[in-house]
Structures are given as structure tokens and as C-alpha cells.
Amino acid sequence: MTMQNRMMMRVVGSMLTTALLFSGVALAEPPIPTDLTQEEAFLSVLPKVEVPDDVKAIPGAVNEEFRNCEAFWPAGYALARSGPEARALRDIYGLVRVRNVIETRDCTCAGKVANWEDVDIVAAALRDQHEGKRLGWQQTKGIAEEAAKLTTVAETMCGGSF
């Protein structure tokens, strides 16, 4: 089984677990979670990334900034540059791609351009949580914050801007 298939299986398994855990709570949740545990629950949709306690630069890493990788961007990302859910989808993709860099230890465009299917899976789970409503920044605020934290780790590993 390929690494991508294993990751997809973990994502789907995590999604199902999360959906079951929140199925009875979704109606009672405020639009913007006031409890940090609720925000953290959205992050559990994706498998956890193991980050070393003492992050160091990858020896010989070749860092390419994501903005310079446009030729490799997935079609979904290009479509998420505008539209009603654009911000939310970009927030999710931000986390997916930074996790990909950390997991693969690849700072090139190949590592920074992640699979858009993972974004679709997370977005679908979040829409289910919010009864099919469009996703906005409120629903992905915790995801964006986690992506920002991990971006710092990735920039340290890669020795340059993400």
C-alpha cells in the first residue's frame, strides 16, 4: 500500500471518528467555538504530524517558496482563489501542504504542493458539522492557526520562507 493510500485511509478513519463524536453536538455549537477543545477537534480530522521537540534545519535542503510553484498548484487550489468558500479552502490547504513538507522533509515544490483531495475530505467533514452550510473563516480559524504554527516549523526545517 502506498504512503498516499495509507494517508487517505487515516484521513477517512479520522473523519468518521470525528463525525461520530460530534454528531450529537453539532446543533448545540456556536458558529465560532468558544472552547479550545472544540477548535482542536477540527484539527483531528487529519492525522497528527510528529514534529521533533528540537526542530533543526534539514542538511542540504533546497527551499522553494510556494508562491514560486504555481505551475504545480492543484486545480482545486487555483479555483479556491475566489468564491464563497475560498478563504476556508485555502486555510485547509495551508495546513495540508505544511504537514506534507514536515512529513516528507521535502522543501521543494514537490513537497509544498500537496494533494487537493485531502482538502475536499476535510471540507466535506466540516460542512457536515455545520449542516451543509458554506464554510467561512470562522469554521477554519483553528485550522489556520495550526497551519501558522507548523509553518514556523517548516520554515526552520527548510531554512527559508514557506
Side-chain angles (χ1 to χ4, degrees):
M1 183 180 311
T2 67
M3 185 172 125
Q4 186 175 17
N5 286 341
R6 281 183 289 187
M7 184 173 171
M8 290 303 291
M9 288 176 57
R10 288 188 302 194
V11 168
V12 171
S14 295
M15 261 186 12
L16 291 174
T17 302
T18 303
L20 290 173
L21 288 173
F22 289 108
S23 61
V25 182
L27 296 176
E29 286 184 345
I32 301 174
T34 56
D35 183 4
L36 283 178
T37 57
Q38 289 178 358
E39 281 190 47
E40 294 295 322
F42 290 121
L43 301 176
S44 69
V45 175
L46 291 171
K48 298 291 181 205
V49 171
E50 293 181 26
V51 179
D53 292 334
D54 189 19
V55 178
K56 295 188 190 289
I58 300 168
V62 175
N63 186 48
E64 293 178 291
E65 292 186 29
F66 178 73
R67 66 182 177 181
N68 297 330
C69 301
E70 188 170 357
F72 304 100
W73 288 355
Y77 185 78
L79 296 174
R81 294 178 86 178
S82 64
E85 290 187 322
R87 164 76 186 271
L89 295 174
R90 287 192 314 269
D91 286 347
I92 296 167
Y93 188 64
L95 181 61
V96 169
R97 68 189 178 93
V98 74
R99 291 168 55 91
N100 193 58
V101 168
I102 292 170
E103 287 178 348
T104 63
R105 299 177 56 85
D106 184 352
C107 302
T108 65
C109 288
K112 291 186 178 177
V113 177
N115 186 350
W116 188 262
E117 291 171 3
D118 295 343
V119 174
D120 290 335
I121 291 169
V122 173
L126 288 172
R127 284 188 204 103
D128 286 346
Q129 290 289 316
H130 296 281
E131 300 176 358
K133 294 180 184 174
R134 285 186 191 159
L135 297 178
W137 67 269
Q138 300 93 339
Q139 290 83 26
T140 57
K141 182 179 182 225
I143 291 172
E145 290 169 353
E146 183 67 14
K149 289 177 195 172
L150 291 179
T151 297
T152 302
V153 171
E155 287 177 338
T156 301
M157 291 172 64
C158 296
S161 297
F162 195 75

